[in-house]
Amino acid sequence: MLHVVHGDLSYSIPEELKRGYVIGNVAKDLSIDLRTLSFRNARADVEGTQKRYCEMNLSTGDLITSERIDRESLCGKKPSCVLKVDLVLENPLELHRVSLHIQDVNDNSPKFRDNSIEMEIRESAEKGTRFSIEEAHDADIGQNAVQRYSLQKNDNFILAVDSNKVELVLENKLDREKQREMNLLLTALDGGSPQRSGTVVIHVTVLDANDNAPVFSQAVYKASLPENSPPDTVVITVSATDADEGVNGDVTYQFGHVSDDEINVFSIDSKTGRITVNSLIDFEEISFVEMRVQAKDGLGLTSYAKVMIDVTDLNDNAPVIYLKSLTNPIPENASPGTEVGIINVQDRDSETNKQVHCSIQQNVPFKLVPSIKNYYSLVTTGQLDRELESDYNITISATDEGSPPLSSSKTIQLSVADINDNPPVFEEQSYSAYVTENNKPGSTLCSVTARDPDWRQNGTVIYSLLPGEVNGAPVSSYVSVNGDTGVIHAVRSFDYEQLRNFKVQVMARDNGSPPLSSNVTVSVFISDVNDNSPQILYPALEGNSFMTELVPKAAHGGSLVSKVIAVDADSGQNAWLSYHIVTSTDPGLFTIGVHSGEIRTQRDISESDSMKQNLIVAVKDNGQPSLSATCSMYLIISDNLAEVTELKDISSDEKNSKLTSYLIIALVSVSTFFLTFIIIILGVRFCRRGKPRMLFDGAVAIPSAYLPPNYADVDGTGTLRSTYNYDAYLTTGSRTSDFKFVTSYNDNTLPADQTLRKSPSDFADVFGDCDSSLEVGTCIIFGCKHLFALLVKVMCLLSHIANKCMININIWIVFFVCTCPVSVHYVLSLSLVLNCGHCCGVRYFK
């Protein structure tokens, strides 16, 4: 900030001007743009007085008088009277000194102290005797002061005037016998225009014999008096002597012409001539006193002396602090060094007593920078933060350099205006909400809370959801948030089996400009309720179809006959399943594992047992309340399907015989090529790992297509994990030759329509064409996975063709089994089950 003091302006004006008199156009003289006067708060401050003698006209730039200017009250008898005016402009701060020279006008008439002067003159007075007359007082100066005196024409006296005194000169001796008394008219004239005058009547009484007037020891007496001197303090003592004796020589003292203010301040002892202080005198009001003292003898002869008193200054005035301007409130983003206010300090004392130092006592981010003369700028020293401190009470202290020093202080209240500089802050870094499935839409999940330390709208927080997706759907279709309270509600009813948990982003935004925001993650966890009944995967229940298992007649007690496989979409104890046989054809023949679902024989099969066994199995979960499902299991006790009288052979048509030959040739060719390729591969590389085989008794193959995705993981309950589905490959042969390989694969490997169902009519058709007992072929194939898969797919295709065409392919099965190696070290195994129960074709293949 640049502060400039321009050169002084000087105007000369007469005193006693009317209010509103135009002294001069300071805007023009200082080259100041009129349009900026009002904006910059231009004003005129008069130094050293509380009165405002002049002011600024902001529209014209004129400096005009605002009250009466009396030169005599301002300067007294000083030859030069200058009124100092400070022209102050703000933004930026400028100070111009304007000097007003107050010219005296003849507004005061000469005045004698008394209306009449009593003189007693002895008749013995010699011709040429001089008699002193008190001078007339004129408050004006220079040419407007008393310039001359005139005496009314008479026979005895003439007037003699010099620079210091006025005297009556006896021109002709007095003769008491002729004239005892006489009145002389003395006129005092000033030099003003129009001329003013004052008169006094000199009453002369002719006496005898007193021809000596008192004589002062000094023509001028000088004294120094400290201000605030207590009453009765002796200022000075004047002394005059009279050569006469007796009454004619007795001298008395009194003040000559003094102003009313001075006569109340001082007093003189008429006998001793001692001048004392009558009341407290203030240097700031009276700094210099000039008085005349009269010495008079007993018979009326007088003489005069001048007394000059200098009043010395004491440090009796503390500095006064004036707040000229203040920016309040100040924005909290104000940069350091921003000017907040302007301070003016004044001290009525003089010299060193007038030198003032200002400071701020508190530890606040503000300081005072000296500007022009006795002006200071209040500026910021650091960054403000309304959230830490919203109001400041700044105490400014001013101390002068007097002895002892005096000080004063002034407190300024300053507020900090808020800006939007704080984003909302959540009370927690993340939130978790827990809700049970099947909840009602609109139910409350949790509540988030964010705080913003800003003020009013800058601190008002509004909550909203950030765009996102949950399972491919907008997050707003799952939850909603109350914009005012932050309460999160469920928009829909949740299903644990479809969605177990999800996350949403909540944004808290304030109402500032520009708005600020912050985000938080809310994790919603859905807990399970027992709302799903067990689902039986095997045996499948669709339409009128049923599952039929063959049980060898030679089965011993404890042999595995079949297995009921069920799953529950719930989790935890709600998915713990137990298996129970509700009804059976022969209650003592079969039993089921409570947790495994395995159906085993309780005793050896006897000839008396019914060939057809019907079991109804119930599967229950462990939820509260418990849910259940049932299925029917059909068992046929037989070593050969031909023994079942309900099934009849279906003879092959002659037209299929030729196609059968082609299929056998194709299968043999593929098998031969495959064996040759395997032998070559085994000679070049070694396999790194093998898969173990697990053998168990069984009757049917259980495809993975029966296992729906996303079932809960439950251990020890007889259900399947969702991450593993199992393929069971079972034979319908004797119990001792049954085996199964278990593999893990993805749920999406096979379509869901690959089942193992047969209707009674299907069995009748199949067994009508079959002329031989069922044969089973199984082999383990080794080699390159990709080529192996291709070859197997070819064989599968051929087998399906045979199946669709009702062709008996038992011959190539036997050939394939005989030519395949049984075991090779470091194998890549594949379980290939060919079940010829369905038209002697491939029943299932993976």
Side-chain angles (χ1 to χ4, degrees):
M1 180 178 181
L2 180 62
H3 302 284
V4 180
V5 179
H6 295 277
D8 291 350
L9 282 179
S10 180
Y11 297 96
S12 179
I13 61 173
E15 64 173 332
E16 302 296 337
L17 292 174
K18 293 182 179 180
R19 182 174 182 178
Y21 178 83
V22 178
I23 298 173
N25 193 307
V26 294
K28 179 179 179 181
D29 295 339
L30 294 175
S31 300
I32 300 175
D33 190 354
L34 284 176
R35 294 172 294 179
T36 65
L37 292 180
S38 178
F39 170 76
R40 298 181 65 184
N41 193 19
R43 60 183 179 274
D45 292 338
V46 179
E47 180 181 359
T49 180
Q50 299 297 325
K51 296 182 178 180
R52 297 186 62 84
Y53 288 105
C54 56
E55 61 185 13
M56 281 287 299
N57 187 328
L58 299 181
S59 61
T60 62
D62 293 331
L63 182 66
I64 61 176
T65 58
S66 59
E67 60 183 88
R68 174 177 172 266
I69 301 176
D70 186 9
R71 192 202 67 80
E72 286 73 24
S73 63
L74 286 175
C75 304
K77 287 290 187 178
K78 293 181 180 179
S80 176
C81 184
V82 179
L83 183 63
K84 301 293 185 179
V85 179
D86 291 336
L87 179 60
V88 182
L89 295 94
E90 299 178 5
N91 298 319
L93 178 63
E94 289 184 22
L95 179 65
H96 300 275
R97 175 63 58 81
V98 179
S99 298
L100 300 181
H101 295 269
I102 309 301
Q103 302 298 324
D104 184 45
V105 297
N106 192 22
D107 59 336
N108 293 282
S109 301
K111 185 178 180 181
F112 292 90
R113 183 171 66 89
D114 300 317
N115 292 330
S116 64
I117 300 175
E118 296 292 333
M119 297 184 66
E120 295 178 346
I121 303 174
R122 289 193 178 275
E123 61 180 359
S124 58
E126 295 294 333
K127 183 180 178 181
T129 303
R130 293 175 177 267
F131 304 93
S132 297
I133 304 297
E134 181 183 6
E135 297 176 353
H137 174 74
D138 194 335
D140 298 323
I141 63 171
Q143 194 67 22
N144 294 326
V146 177
Q147 298 297 317
R148 63 189 182 89
Y149 295 86
S150 65
L151 182 64
Q152 183 183 6
K153 189 174 182 180
N154 61 84
D155 297 330
N156 301 99
F157 296 93
I158 61 173
L159 190 63
V161 180
D162 59 20
S163 59
N164 291 323
K165 57 186 177 179
V166 178
E167 295 177 323
L168 286 178
V169 179
L170 185 60
E171 187 179 33
N172 297 309
K173 292 191 67 167
L174 297 176
D175 186 358
R176 183 176 179 277
E177 284 67 24
K178 285 184 176 182
Q179 191 175 4
R180 296 182 59 180
E181 297 178 351
M182 63 182 65
N183 292 321
L184 304 177
L185 182 63
L186 179 62
T187 302
L189 301 171
D190 60 23
S193 178
Q195 190 177 54
R196 291 176 178 268
S197 63
T199 59
V200 65
V201 175
I202 303 174
H203 182 261
V204 178
T205 301
V206 181
L207 301 176
D208 291 332
N210 188 18
D211 54 356
N212 290 291
V215 177
F216 282 95
S217 59
Q218 297 176 216
V220 178
Y221 292 87
K222 293 183 179 181
S224 179
L225 176 66
E227 67 171 328
N228 300 327
S229 296
D232 298 332
T233 299
V234 177
V235 180
I236 197 172
T237 299
V238 296
S239 175
T241 60
D242 194 316
D244 294 328
E245 294 181 353
V247 178
N248 296 328
D250 293 337
V251 178
T252 58
Y253 302 93
Q254 64 180 9
F255 286 124
H257 184 277
V258 292
S259 66
D260 294 338
D261 294 334
E262 294 169 348
I263 201 170
N264 292 328
V265 174
F266 302 99
S267 63
I268 187 170
D269 191 318
S270 62
K271 298 296 183 182
T272 63
R274 184 172 57 199
I275 300 175
T276 58
V277 175
N278 215 20
S279 61
L280 291 178
I281 184 171
D282 189 359
F283 171 83
E284 287 69 41
E285 297 294 337
I286 302 176
S287 60
F288 176 79
V289 179
E290 181 179 329
M291 300 182 297
R292 284 189 174 274
V293 179
Q294 181 192 69
K296 182 179 180 181
D297 61 20
L299 296 180
L301 296 180
T302 60
S303 61
Y304 294 90
K306 186 181 291 186
V307 178
M308 302 175 66
I309 303 173
D310 285 321
V311 181
T312 59
D313 181 41
L314 296 178
N315 190 28
D316 60 341
N317 291 281
V320 181
I321 302 173
Y322 296 98
L323 180 61
K324 294 299 184 180
S325 67
L326 180 66
T327 302
N328 192 18
I330 180 173
E332 63 177 322
N333 62 344
S335 58
T338 300
E339 183 179 81
V340 177
I342 298 176
I343 308 299
N344 177 245
V345 182
Q346 296 183 8
D347 194 319
R348 297 181 63 196
D349 295 321
S350 62
E351 298 180 355
T352 58
N353 296 331
K354 192 176 183 178
Q355 302 300 317
V356 180
H357 299 282
C358 288
S359 63
I360 297 176
Q361 301 300 323
Q362 308 108 303
N363 184 19
V364 293
F366 299 93
K367 68 177 181 178
L368 289 175
V369 178
S371 183
I372 304 172
K373 196 180 176 183
N374 50 357
Y375 283 87
Y376 295 84
S377 294
L378 179 63
V379 299
T380 59
T381 60
Q383 192 67 45
L384 304 178
D385 191 345
R386 191 203 67 84
E387 288 69 43
L388 297 178
E389 192 74 32
S390 60
D391 295 282
Y392 291 94
N393 289 325
I394 305 171
T395 301
I396 300 175
S397 297
T399 304
D400 60 27
E401 294 184 358
S403 181
L406 299 179
S407 63
S408 62
S409 62
K410 185 179 184 65
T411 300
I412 300 174
Q413 293 183 344
L414 187 63
S415 299
V416 181
D418 183 54
I419 63 170
N420 191 28
D421 59 343
N422 290 282
V425 178
F426 284 94
E427 292 182 348
E428 300 181 18
Q429 293 183 351
S430 62
Y431 291 84
S432 297
Y434 299 89
V435 60
T436 58
E437 64 173 329
N438 303 325
N439 59 292
K440 292 183 178 180
S443 58
T444 300
L445 300 182
C446 68
S447 177
V448 298
T449 304
R451 306 294 182 187
D452 194 321
D454 291 324
W455 195 48
R456 290 187 176 175
Q457 67 177 13
N458 293 334
T460 302
V461 179
I462 299 175
Y463 304 92
S464 61
L465 291 176
L466 288 180
E469 291 187 353
V470 177
N471 284 352
V475 69
S476 59
S477 64
Y478 284 83
V479 295
S480 65
V481 62
N482 189 303
D484 297 326
T485 63
V487 177
I488 299 177
H489 301 277
V491 174
R492 63 168 65 177
S493 179
F494 300 124
D495 187 357
Y496 174 83
E497 288 71 39
Q498 298 296 327
L499 181 66
R500 298 189 179 185
N501 60 76
F502 61 91
K503 294 182 179 180
V504 298
Q505 292 283 332
V506 178
M507 178 180 69
R509 175 181 59 83
D510 58 31
N511 267 338
S513 180
L516 301 178
S517 63
S518 60
N519 304 332
V520 71
T521 299
V522 179
S523 300
V524 180
F525 298 93
I526 304 169
S527 58
D528 182 50
V529 298
N530 192 27
D531 60 343
N532 290 279
S533 300
Q535 182 179 354
I536 299 175
L537 303 181
Y538 184 84
L541 299 175
E542 289 187 9
N544 296 324
S545 64
F546 65 92
M547 302 301 298
T548 302
E549 301 288 353
L550 293 180
V551 180
K553 294 181 178 180
H556 297 291
S559 297
L560 177 65
V561 174
S562 183
K563 183 175 181 178
V564 177
I565 299 176
V567 294
D568 196 313
D570 296 321
S571 64
Q573 69 176 8
N574 294 330
W576 295 353
L577 303 180
S578 61
Y579 301 85
H580 309 276
I581 296 178
V582 179
T583 60
S584 64
T585 304
D586 190 348
L589 182 57
F590 299 100
T591 184
I592 190 169
V594 176
H595 300 297
S596 64
E598 294 180 348
I599 300 176
R600 296 179 181 272
T601 58
Q602 295 190 69
R603 57 179 174 80
D604 294 343
I605 303 295
S606 65
E607 294 294 335
S608 61
D609 293 326
S610 174
M611 179 180 296
K612 294 187 293 182
Q613 297 287 330
N614 184 16
L615 303 180
I616 298 179
V617 179
V619 183
K620 297 182 179 180
D621 60 26
N622 200 36
Q624 294 295 330
S626 176
L627 302 178
S628 64
T630 60
C631 68
S632 295
M633 177 72 69
Y634 297 92
L635 303 178
I636 299 176
I637 301 176
S638 177
D639 291 331
N640 195 327
L641 292 176
E643 296 179 1
V644 183
T645 59
E646 289 81 355
L647 303 178
K648 59 182 179 179
D649 295 339
I650 301 177
S651 59
S652 301
D653 295 336
E654 293 181 358
K655 63 180 179 180
N656 294 333
S657 59
K658 188 174 182 179
L659 180 59
T660 301
S661 302
Y662 293 153
L663 290 175
I664 292 175
I665 294 172
L667 291 174
V668 170
S669 300
V670 171
S671 300
T672 303
F673 175 77
F674 182 73
L675 289 175
T676 304
F677 179 78
I678 291 300
I679 293 173
I680 296 173
I681 293 299
L682 292 176
V684 178
R685 56 182 296 183
F686 295 95
C687 298
R688 295 185 178 181
R689 54 186 292 184
K691 296 185 179 180
R693 294 181 299 175
M694 293 174 26
L695 301 178
F696 70 97
D697 293 341
V700 294
I702 305 172
S704 64
Y706 285 109
L707 304 180
N710 300 328
Y711 278 93
D713 298 343
V714 181
D715 294 332
T717 63
T719 61
L720 301 179
R721 290 182 176 270
S722 61
T723 54
Y724 289 93
N725 295 331
Y726 299 90
D727 289 341
Y729 301 96
L730 308 179
T731 68
T732 58
S734 65
R735 179 176 61 84
T736 57
S737 64
D738 292 342
F739 70 94
K740 178 183 71 173
F741 292 100
V742 181
T743 61
S744 173
Y745 61 96
N746 186 274
D747 294 341
N748 298 324
T749 302
L750 294 178
D753 59 351
Q754 294 184 3
T755 62
L756 199 59
R757 303 181 185 84
K758 296 295 176 183
S759 65
S761 59
D762 293 337
F763 276 100
D765 295 338
V766 171
F767 287 101
D769 291 339
C770 294
D771 57 354
S772 62
S773 62
L774 298 176
E775 296 181 31
V776 178
T778 306
C779 69
I780 303 174
I781 303 174
F782 309 88
C784 178
K785 292 190 294 182
H786 300 292
L787 183 58
F788 176 75
L790 177 62
L791 296 176
V792 171
K793 287 181 180 179
V794 172
M795 289 188 290
C796 181
L797 176 62
L798 295 175
S799 299
H800 273 290
I801 295 174
N803 181 33
K804 295 298 181 180
C805 298
M806 305 297 181
I807 298 174
N808 191 336
I809 57 173
N810 294 341
I811 299 175
W812 78 264
I813 295 174
V814 175
F815 175 79
F816 188 78
V817 171
C818 294
T819 56
C820 286
V822 177
S823 174
V824 177
H825 177 265
Y826 206 73
V827 298
L828 175 62
S829 63
L830 174 69
S831 199
L832 179 64
V833 178
L834 302 176
N835 191 337
C836 297
H838 183 199
C839 298
C840 302
V842 176
R843 186 176 185 185
Y844 179 76
F845 178 77
K846 175 178 185 292

